[in-house]
Every structure is written in structure tokens, then in C-alpha cells.
Amino acid sequence: MDTTPIIHELKATLTEQLRLAGEGSELANAGEMLLALLGPSLERALLSLADQAVTEVQAQLPDHEVSLTIREGRPEIRVRDNAPHQGPVGATDDLQARLTLRLPEMLKAELEAAAGSAGDSINSYIIKSLAGRRRGRPGPRQIRDTFET
């Protein structure tokens, strides 16, 4: 989750309002100080919001593991299916067949994102997905939905 655009949008709005107050005015000076102090507070507020989202998603998906990690200062919410996988899916000992697959760049990017969200390589993600479908249940997937708080 990239919170940077949210912070930039809020700062841009405040900066525009301060510009209307005129340079050198007491209001503009106070506003500039407020902007300087606002960044860390906004980041903490957005992290708190992400943490609340994790709690809500976990409550609505009890059979999934929902976690919040911070990577390079950005919160990432991960949702994983807790259903046990049967058999040695993803084991590298029995992988002998090779397949070259040509995909549109956009689909490849979606696969990479889904695999990353599942904590798998693209290869492992595809193997787990196909193995799950063979057993009659869907494999790993990203859950895209709106969760009300």
C-alpha cells in the first residue's frame, strides 16, 4: 500500500491554501511549520489505519492469515489461505517438465504481484494454483474486496 500519494495530496492542498494567505503572513508561516510537522504524524495515522484494516479483514476471513508488514516504510497487508495443502506441492525434487509460456506483460505483472502477496515465486505460485484446481479447490489467490469497518 503506497501511502505517499495520500500524504502528497494533503500537503499539496495545504500548500495551495497557504499560498492564498500570501507569503510572509503569520498564517502562511504557521502553516509551513504545520506542514513540516505533519509528515510523521500522517505516516503514523496511515499505519494505524492499515493495522485497523488488518484486524477487520482477519475478523471477516477467519480461515485466512492476515498480516501487516512494513517494507521500505510502506505498509503491506498480506492475506494467506490457512487451508493445508495436500501432497508435496511445490517440492523441487519431482519437477522435471519445463514449459515456456508467453504472456502479455500486464498479465505477467499481475502474476508477479499475486505470487509476491502469497510469498511465493511465480513458479511456485502457478504450481500451487494448478495443483489446487486439480484437487477441485482453488489455489492461492489475492482477495480484492472492500471491507467495511
mmCIF file of all heavy atoms in Angstrom, residues 96-117:
data_model
loop_
_atom_site.group_PDB
_atom_site.id
_atom_site.type_symbol
_atom_site.label_atom_id
_atom_site.label_comp_id
_atom_site.label_asym_id
_atom_site.label_seq_id
_atom_site.Cartn_x
_atom_site.Cartn_y
_atom_site.Cartn_z
ATOM 1 N N GLN A 96 10.341 -32.102 -13.306
ATOM 2 C CA GLN A 96 11.185 -32.466 -14.433
ATOM 3 C C GLN A 96 10.732 -31.814 -15.726
ATOM 4 O O GLN A 96 11.520 -31.663 -16.648
ATOM 5 C CB GLN A 96 11.204 -33.982 -14.597
ATOM 6 C CG GLN A 96 11.817 -34.679 -13.398
ATOM 7 C CD GLN A 96 11.653 -36.182 -13.488
ATOM 8 O OE1 GLN A 96 11.084 -36.698 -14.425
ATOM 9 N NE2 GLN A 96 12.176 -36.869 -12.502
ATOM 10 N N ALA A 97 9.470 -31.475 -15.831
ATOM 11 C CA ALA A 97 8.948 -30.895 -17.067
ATOM 12 C C ALA A 97 9.198 -29.392 -17.073
ATOM 13 O O ALA A 97 9.160 -28.731 -16.040
ATOM 14 C CB ALA A 97 7.459 -31.185 -17.175
ATOM 15 N N ARG A 98 9.435 -28.862 -18.225
ATOM 16 C CA ARG A 98 9.660 -27.427 -18.396
ATOM 17 C C ARG A 98 8.658 -26.916 -19.411
ATOM 18 O O ARG A 98 8.371 -27.582 -20.399
ATOM 19 C CB ARG A 98 11.077 -27.160 -18.877
ATOM 20 C CG ARG A 98 11.363 -25.685 -19.101
ATOM 21 C CD ARG A 98 12.800 -25.461 -19.508
ATOM 22 N NE ARG A 98 13.712 -25.694 -18.420
ATOM 23 C CZ ARG A 98 14.097 -24.773 -17.546
ATOM 24 N NH1 ARG A 98 13.608 -23.565 -17.637
ATOM 25 N NH2 ARG A 98 14.939 -25.056 -16.593
ATOM 26 N N LEU A 99 8.126 -25.735 -19.160
ATOM 27 C CA LEU A 99 7.138 -25.130 -20.035
ATOM 28 C C LEU A 99 7.519 -23.669 -20.246
ATOM 29 O O LEU A 99 7.777 -22.947 -19.281
ATOM 30 C CB LEU A 99 5.749 -25.211 -19.373
ATOM 31 C CG LEU A 99 4.616 -24.466 -20.044
ATOM 32 C CD1 LEU A 99 4.267 -25.123 -21.378
ATOM 33 C CD2 LEU A 99 3.399 -24.461 -19.137
ATOM 34 N N THR A 100 7.564 -23.256 -21.480
ATOM 35 C CA THR A 100 7.787 -21.847 -21.790
ATOM 36 C C THR A 100 6.439 -21.258 -22.140
ATOM 37 O O THR A 100 5.726 -21.774 -22.999
ATOM 38 C CB THR A 100 8.756 -21.687 -22.977
ATOM 39 O OG1 THR A 100 9.988 -22.307 -22.639
ATOM 40 C CG2 THR A 100 8.981 -20.214 -23.296
ATOM 41 N N LEU A 101 6.075 -20.202 -21.462
ATOM 42 C CA LEU A 101 4.755 -19.607 -21.613
ATOM 43 C C LEU A 101 4.918 -18.141 -21.969
ATOM 44 O O LEU A 101 5.628 -17.401 -21.294
ATOM 45 C CB LEU A 101 3.991 -19.748 -20.285
ATOM 46 C CG LEU A 101 2.582 -19.214 -20.224
ATOM 47 C CD1 LEU A 101 1.680 -19.981 -21.186
ATOM 48 C CD2 LEU A 101 2.058 -19.355 -18.799
ATOM 49 N N ARG A 102 4.272 -17.740 -23.040
ATOM 50 C CA ARG A 102 4.320 -16.334 -23.446
ATOM 51 C C ARG A 102 3.047 -15.664 -22.960
ATOM 52 O O ARG A 102 1.950 -16.125 -23.235
ATOM 53 C CB ARG A 102 4.450 -16.237 -24.957
ATOM 54 C CG ARG A 102 5.769 -16.816 -25.447
ATOM 55 C CD ARG A 102 5.834 -16.773 -26.939
ATOM 56 N NE ARG A 102 5.616 -15.388 -27.358
ATOM 57 C CZ ARG A 102 6.366 -14.752 -28.232
ATOM 58 N NH1 ARG A 102 7.360 -15.358 -28.788
ATOM 59 N NH2 ARG A 102 6.102 -13.507 -28.556
ATOM 60 N N LEU A 103 3.217 -14.581 -22.201
ATOM 61 C CA LEU A 103 2.095 -13.869 -21.598
ATOM 62 C C LEU A 103 2.133 -12.396 -21.979
ATOM 63 O O LEU A 103 3.217 -11.832 -22.176
ATOM 64 C CB LEU A 103 2.173 -13.937 -20.067
ATOM 65 C CG LEU A 103 2.152 -15.292 -19.409
ATOM 66 C CD1 LEU A 103 2.464 -15.151 -17.925
ATOM 67 C CD2 LEU A 103 0.804 -15.938 -19.592
ATOM 68 N N PRO A 104 0.988 -11.755 -22.003
ATOM 69 C CA PRO A 104 1.004 -10.291 -22.136
ATOM 70 C C PRO A 104 1.704 -9.708 -20.901
ATOM 71 O O PRO A 104 1.593 -10.261 -19.795
ATOM 72 C CB PRO A 104 -0.485 -9.914 -22.151
ATOM 73 C CG PRO A 104 -1.225 -11.182 -22.450
ATOM 74 C CD PRO A 104 -0.363 -12.305 -21.987
ATOM 75 N N GLU A 105 2.406 -8.623 -21.077
ATOM 76 C CA GLU A 105 3.169 -8.009 -19.995
ATOM 77 C C GLU A 105 2.291 -7.695 -18.784
ATOM 78 O O GLU A 105 2.699 -7.885 -17.644
ATOM 79 C CB GLU A 105 3.857 -6.734 -20.499
ATOM 80 C CG GLU A 105 4.899 -6.183 -19.558
ATOM 81 C CD GLU A 105 6.085 -7.124 -19.347
ATOM 82 O OE1 GLU A 105 6.524 -7.796 -20.289
ATOM 83 O OE2 GLU A 105 6.565 -7.185 -18.206
ATOM 84 N N MET A 106 1.056 -7.250 -19.022
ATOM 85 C CA MET A 106 0.165 -6.899 -17.922
ATOM 86 C C MET A 106 -0.198 -8.141 -17.097
ATOM 87 O O MET A 106 -0.222 -8.090 -15.869
ATOM 88 C CB MET A 106 -1.106 -6.242 -18.448
ATOM 89 C CG MET A 106 -2.081 -5.821 -17.346
ATOM 90 S SD MET A 106 -3.530 -5.019 -18.019
ATOM 91 C CE MET A 106 -3.016 -3.331 -17.845
ATOM 92 N N LEU A 107 -0.454 -9.262 -17.774
ATOM 93 C CA LEU A 107 -0.782 -10.490 -17.056
ATOM 94 C C LEU A 107 0.421 -10.988 -16.257
ATOM 95 O O LEU A 107 0.281 -11.458 -15.126
ATOM 96 C CB LEU A 107 -1.259 -11.573 -18.034
ATOM 97 C CG LEU A 107 -1.685 -12.901 -17.422
ATOM 98 C CD1 LEU A 107 -2.775 -12.698 -16.380
ATOM 99 C CD2 LEU A 107 -2.160 -13.846 -18.507
ATOM 100 N N LYS A 108 1.608 -10.861 -16.824
ATOM 101 C CA LYS A 108 2.825 -11.258 -16.115
ATOM 102 C C LYS A 108 2.976 -10.412 -14.844
ATOM 103 O O LYS A 108 3.297 -10.932 -13.773
ATOM 104 C CB LYS A 108 4.049 -11.098 -16.999
ATOM 105 C CG LYS A 108 5.345 -11.484 -16.297
ATOM 106 C CD LYS A 108 6.531 -11.294 -17.226
ATOM 107 C CE LYS A 108 7.809 -11.675 -16.539
ATOM 108 N NZ LYS A 108 8.513 -10.579 -15.919
ATOM 109 N N ALA A 109 2.730 -9.116 -14.962
ATOM 110 C CA ALA A 109 2.835 -8.230 -13.789
ATOM 111 C C ALA A 109 1.813 -8.620 -12.720
ATOM 112 O O ALA A 109 2.127 -8.625 -11.526
ATOM 113 C CB ALA A 109 2.632 -6.775 -14.210
ATOM 114 N N GLU A 110 0.598 -8.990 -13.141
ATOM 115 C CA GLU A 110 -0.421 -9.420 -12.179
ATOM 116 C C GLU A 110 0.000 -10.718 -11.494
ATOM 117 O O GLU A 110 -0.198 -10.887 -10.288
ATOM 118 C CB GLU A 110 -1.766 -9.612 -12.870
ATOM 119 C CG GLU A 110 -2.442 -8.307 -13.251
ATOM 120 C CD GLU A 110 -3.783 -8.522 -13.924
ATOM 121 O OE1 GLU A 110 -4.432 -9.557 -13.666
ATOM 122 O OE2 GLU A 110 -4.173 -7.658 -14.720
ATOM 123 N N LEU A 111 0.581 -11.638 -12.259
ATOM 124 C CA LEU A 111 1.064 -12.899 -11.682
ATOM 125 C C LEU A 111 2.170 -12.641 -10.669
ATOM 126 O O LEU A 111 2.189 -13.242 -9.595
ATOM 127 C CB LEU A 111 1.620 -13.800 -12.796
ATOM 128 C CG LEU A 111 0.756 -14.947 -13.249
ATOM 129 C CD1 LEU A 111 1.407 -15.666 -14.420
ATOM 130 C CD2 LEU A 111 0.416 -15.898 -12.159
ATOM 131 N N GLU A 112 3.100 -11.763 -11.012
ATOM 132 C CA GLU A 112 4.190 -11.431 -10.098
ATOM 133 C C GLU A 112 3.647 -10.833 -8.800
ATOM 134 O O GLU A 112 4.096 -11.170 -7.707
ATOM 135 C CB GLU A 112 5.167 -10.453 -10.753
ATOM 136 C CG GLU A 112 6.010 -11.085 -11.839
ATOM 137 C CD GLU A 112 6.819 -10.065 -12.625
ATOM 138 O OE1 GLU A 112 6.474 -8.863 -12.646
ATOM 139 O OE2 GLU A 112 7.820 -10.495 -13.246
ATOM 140 N N ALA A 113 2.666 -9.943 -8.930
ATOM 141 C CA ALA A 113 2.085 -9.308 -7.739
ATOM 142 C C ALA A 113 1.351 -10.339 -6.876
ATOM 143 O O ALA A 113 1.497 -10.344 -5.648
ATOM 144 C CB ALA A 113 1.123 -8.186 -8.160
ATOM 145 N N ALA A 114 0.581 -11.222 -7.510
ATOM 146 C CA ALA A 114 -0.152 -12.242 -6.758
ATOM 147 C C ALA A 114 0.811 -13.200 -6.067
ATOM 148 O O ALA A 114 0.614 -13.562 -4.904
ATOM 149 C CB ALA A 114 -1.096 -13.006 -7.688
ATOM 150 N N ALA A 115 1.861 -13.600 -6.773
ATOM 151 C CA ALA A 115 2.852 -14.504 -6.178
ATOM 152 C C ALA A 115 3.556 -13.818 -5.011
ATOM 153 O O ALA A 115 3.765 -14.418 -3.962
ATOM 154 C CB ALA A 115 3.867 -14.949 -7.237
ATOM 155 N N GLY A 116 3.917 -12.554 -5.187
ATOM 156 C CA GLY A 116 4.556 -11.804 -4.100
ATOM 157 C C GLY A 116 3.657 -11.685 -2.890
ATOM 158 O O GLY A 116 4.102 -11.823 -1.754
ATOM 159 N N SER A 117 2.359 -11.447 -3.113
ATOM 160 C CA SER A 117 1.411 -11.350 -2.000
ATOM 161 C C SER A 117 1.271 -12.673 -1.264
ATOM 162 O O SER A 117 1.036 -12.703 -0.066
ATOM 163 C CB SER A 117 0.031 -10.917 -2.510
ATOM 164 O OG SER A 117 0.093 -9.596 -2.965
#
